[in-house]
Amino acid sequence: MTRTPVSPTPGLRHAIAAACLLAVSPWLAAQGLPAPSNAAGAADATLERPSGPPPRLWIEPRVFVTQTYSDNYRLANTNREAELTTELGAGVSAAFNLPRLTGNVDYSLSGQVPALGVGENQRRQALQSDLLLDAWNQAAFIEFNGNIGDERVSALGPQPVGGTNPTNLSETKRFRVSPFLRGTWDNRLDYELRYTRQSWRTAISDRYDMDETGWNARLGSAAEVGRLGWELSASQNEIDYNAGRSTTYQTALALLRYAFTPTLQGFVQGGREYNDLLTPERTGYNSHTLGVDWRPVELARVAASRSKHFYGNGHDVALEYRMRRVLLRYTDARSLNTGQLGLDTNGATLNELFNNLYQSLEPDPVRRAQLVQSELARLGLQGDSTTLPGYLTASATVQRNQQLSAALLGQRGVLTFLIERSSARRLNNAQAIGDDFDLSNTLDEQGWAVLYAHRLTPRLALNFSLTRRETEGQVSTLSSRQTAVSVGLSARLARRTTGSVLLRHTSTDSLLPYRETAILGALVQRF
């Protein structure tokens, strides 16, 4: 998938957001949440941190069984039907910090069996994989990214919560492999030459698959050589949508950067873009980008850029402040998305939020992966939970995504707060190809979520979540509003065995409103 950053000037609201992130830290410190430190505080004793030297490799198999009762299994407006579903499965998590292999893999396979005859037998699988292989002497590398999971078919249909209901969901597979050469010549020039191939596949018949291949080359001055740096880059991507024609996207760019101080850097980039995304024939366009990157302290960052591309203006703003037990982050980006999945956000899941939150407490990636998985299990939380999950598209889109997230790690619990907003439109409306943009030229979504998990005892934890999601189309009949509230109890039954019970209620107001109440029970055995 090609994502071209586009960014309007950060503006007053971004400056205010940056000031808030930096100004709030003294207040947080006054609440007993200290600034970053390498020394382990007394409160860290509540975390199950692995002992001994950091491992180079960690592999943890697991088996699980889940029982779910829903009083409205098909999320219907009328003729509500209840279903009791049993899910049996196995999975494995692995983290690698080897001399030649780094990254994480998590895979699970399960089967669902309904008891009341409303649903159907189903097989489910989930994969999240990000690996980097040093193929030859820190000069030749191979990246591999894989994802398998249930994605929303439509942002306009019924919206299942928690992944326990198959309505409006389709198993989607995304794989990417990218071999590349990277290094420094004579300590003066940095270079990179990369080839990328990726594919998207979905199981539902009224959405379409796609493939993308591309290459890019980059040559520039080494970062350590003086204040003034330069870079030349070129790229080409060929995108094949099964529902429409193949397209080609090419760029040729030059960049100058200047380090005003060791913590403040600015850059300007310009060049040409060539593509046939908007026209039948290949057409050339001018493009340029202005940006700044400021790191006032070690664990704080303010970055902003403004761009002009063939599809209009774009921007990319990122503000982050991380303390020992606090993570504050704001992002705002408008960009081109050529992938199959609309609303392509990064770092919006609980797993990513916990991983970033624990970076100050555990810098080792393998130990941090162990810590994150252990805490999610102990608190009874799903790592793939997100406020606005993606939806399947069949063509290039221009989208703006905004996200404000906060996570606070307390003595016996964790509080997370997330606000997201997205606006997307199809880049070329010349033909109808069978996705949501056939019904509405633009799609706007916004939502927020509050989650609190608290350890009542060393073996017992309580969690509560409240989420709100709103979708707006061009006409009111395409709009919907959903509120979901859940409360759960998780218990560590043995050293590697956890059990949990969750009660959830969902209310959706739309053209065909519906309500659902579900009870979930789960047992997980890790080895």
Side-chain angles (χ1 to χ4, degrees):
M1 174 189 63
T2 301
R3 292 192 69 198
T4 305
V6 327
S7 19
T9 306
L12 180 60
R13 65 184 182 278
H14 295 148
I16 293 174
C20 290
L21 293 185
L22 297 176
V24 76
S25 57
W27 179 85
L28 294 170
Q31 309 308 310
L33 297 164
S37 169
N38 291 327
D44 295 347
T46 61
L47 297 176
E48 290 188 336
R49 305 180 68 181
S51 58
R56 295 291 186 93
L57 172 65
W58 170 65
I59 299 177
E60 184 181 79
R62 64 184 182 275
V63 295
F64 57 90
V65 57
T66 303
Q67 193 84 38
T68 304
Y69 173 80
S70 170
D71 69 348
N72 188 7
Y73 182 75
R74 300 191 184 279
L75 305 183
N77 172 249
T78 58
N79 299 323
R80 296 157 55 101
E81 296 180 285
E83 183 59 280
L84 180 65
T85 305
T86 301
E87 181 177 13
L88 297 171
V92 60
S93 296
F96 305 90
N97 194 23
L98 302 170
R100 291 189 175 274
L101 181 64
T102 57
N104 299 274
V105 177
D106 186 272
Y107 177 77
S108 65
L109 177 66
S110 64
Q112 291 184 338
V113 181
L116 304 181
V118 177
E120 299 178 352
N121 293 344
Q122 293 188 72
R123 187 204 65 176
R124 299 182 65 191
Q125 57 180 336
L127 169 68
Q128 182 64 53
S129 175
D130 297 287
L131 298 172
L132 176 63
L133 174 66
D134 179 3
W136 181 67
N137 198 31
Q138 287 289 309
F141 304 86
I142 301 175
E143 280 183 350
F144 175 79
N145 310 99
N147 183 281
I148 302 175
D150 292 333
E151 305 289 357
R152 287 192 297 169
V153 176
S154 170
L156 303 174
Q159 305 297 310
V161 177
T164 58
N165 190 301
T167 303
N168 195 32
L169 293 177
S170 175
E171 182 182 88
T172 303
K173 302 176 182 178
R174 292 172 282 165
F175 294 101
R176 173 183 176 272
V177 61
S178 180
F180 62 98
L181 301 174
R182 182 174 63 193
T184 301
W185 182 76
D186 196 29
N187 293 324
R188 292 180 179 273
L189 291 177
D190 287 342
Y191 65 87
E192 180 175 308
L193 181 62
R194 180 187 293 265
Y195 172 82
T196 301
R197 181 174 180 83
Q198 49 191 335
S199 66
W200 287 258
R201 298 290 183 268
T202 185
I204 194 167
S205 59
D206 59 355
R207 292 295 187 269
Y208 300 95
D209 303 331
M210 65 164 290
D211 296 280
E212 182 176 347
T213 59
W215 61 266
N216 68 279
R218 178 181 60 84
L219 179 67
S221 59
E224 296 80 8
V225 180
R227 288 190 171 188
L228 181 64
W230 59 271
E231 181 179 294
L232 300 175
S233 63
S235 67
Q236 175 175 300
N237 290 276
E238 297 179 357
I239 309 161
D240 181 13
Y241 297 98
N242 290 12
R245 63 188 180 94
S246 299
T247 59
T248 301
Y249 180 52
Q250 300 170 322
T251 64
L253 303 170
L255 178 145
L256 286 175
R257 62 175 178 268
Y258 185 78
F260 299 98
T261 70
T263 61
L264 178 61
Q265 178 177 279
F267 69 89
V268 56
Q269 185 181 58
R272 294 281 287 175
E273 300 174 328
Y274 301 88
N275 65 77
D276 54 0
L277 290 167
L278 290 175
T279 58
E281 304 295 331
R282 194 183 75 147
T283 305
Y285 309 85
N286 293 326
S287 71
H288 65 259
T289 303
L290 298 172
V292 63
D293 194 322
W294 179 41
R295 300 175 184 267
V297 294
E298 182 181 358
L299 297 179
R301 183 189 180 210
V302 179
S305 65
R306 173 184 173 85
S307 306
K308 180 176 177 57
H309 295 275
F310 70 97
Y311 53 86
N313 293 329
H315 63 273
D316 196 348
V317 178
L319 314 174
E320 182 174 306
Y321 191 80
R322 191 168 65 239
M323 300 172 64
R324 182 174 183 80
R325 292 178 166 272
V326 178
L327 174 68
L328 302 171
R329 174 183 291 169
Y330 171 75
T331 60
D332 182 355
R334 185 174 186 268
S335 61
L336 174 70
N337 179 19
T338 59
Q340 187 192 50
L341 196 66
L343 190 59
D344 183 24
T345 57
N346 294 312
T349 66
L350 274 182
N351 194 60
E352 290 294 330
L353 202 59
F354 271 55
N355 184 72
N356 291 322
L357 178 62
Y358 289 146
Q359 279 186 9
S360 299
L361 294 173
E362 184 51 77
D364 181 76
V366 175
R367 276 186 165 179
R368 189 166 63 250
Q370 292 177 287
L371 179 62
V372 168
Q373 294 302 317
S374 175
E375 284 302 293
L376 288 173
R378 184 155 65 147
L379 295 173
L381 305 177
Q382 289 185 323
D384 60 353
S385 298
T386 184
T387 306
L388 297 179
Y391 52 89
L392 299 179
T393 61
S395 64
T397 59
V398 177
Q399 59 184 32
R400 182 181 181 183
N401 297 325
Q402 296 172 277
Q403 182 187 124
L404 175 64
S405 58
L408 292 83
L409 183 63
Q411 293 273 353
R412 300 177 64 179
V414 61
L415 173 67
T416 67
F417 185 67
L418 184 66
I419 303 175
E420 291 188 79
R421 184 166 65 179
S422 168
S423 179
R425 65 174 176 85
R426 182 185 289 165
L427 180 64
N428 190 341
N429 287 314
Q431 58 178 337
I433 49 181
D435 60 15
D436 284 345
F437 295 101
D438 289 347
L439 303 175
S440 178
N441 290 333
T442 61
L443 285 176
D444 297 320
E445 288 194 289
Q446 59 185 1
W448 54 264
V450 179
L451 184 147
Y452 180 66
H454 183 77
R455 284 186 290 272
L456 302 172
T457 71
R459 291 181 174 271
L460 193 64
L462 180 71
N463 64 75
F464 169 83
S465 72
L466 177 63
T467 63
R468 173 78 169 180
R469 180 192 303 167
E470 299 181 6
T471 302
E472 300 286 345
Q474 283 188 299
V475 295
S476 59
T477 55
L478 298 177
S479 301
S480 65
R481 289 165 177 78
Q482 181 183 81
T483 303
V485 59
S486 68
V487 58
L489 193 65
S490 176
R492 188 172 59 178
L493 305 177
R495 183 174 178 270
R496 290 186 167 272
T497 306
T498 57
S500 61
V501 177
L502 179 77
L503 175 63
R504 182 186 69 226
H505 178 73
T506 305
S507 174
T508 301
D509 294 321
S510 61
L511 182 62
L512 297 174
Y514 63 87
R515 306 287 184 270
E516 184 211 18
T517 300
I519 303 175
L520 299 83
L523 184 66
V524 181
Q525 174 65 53
R526 299 180 294 157
F527 300 97

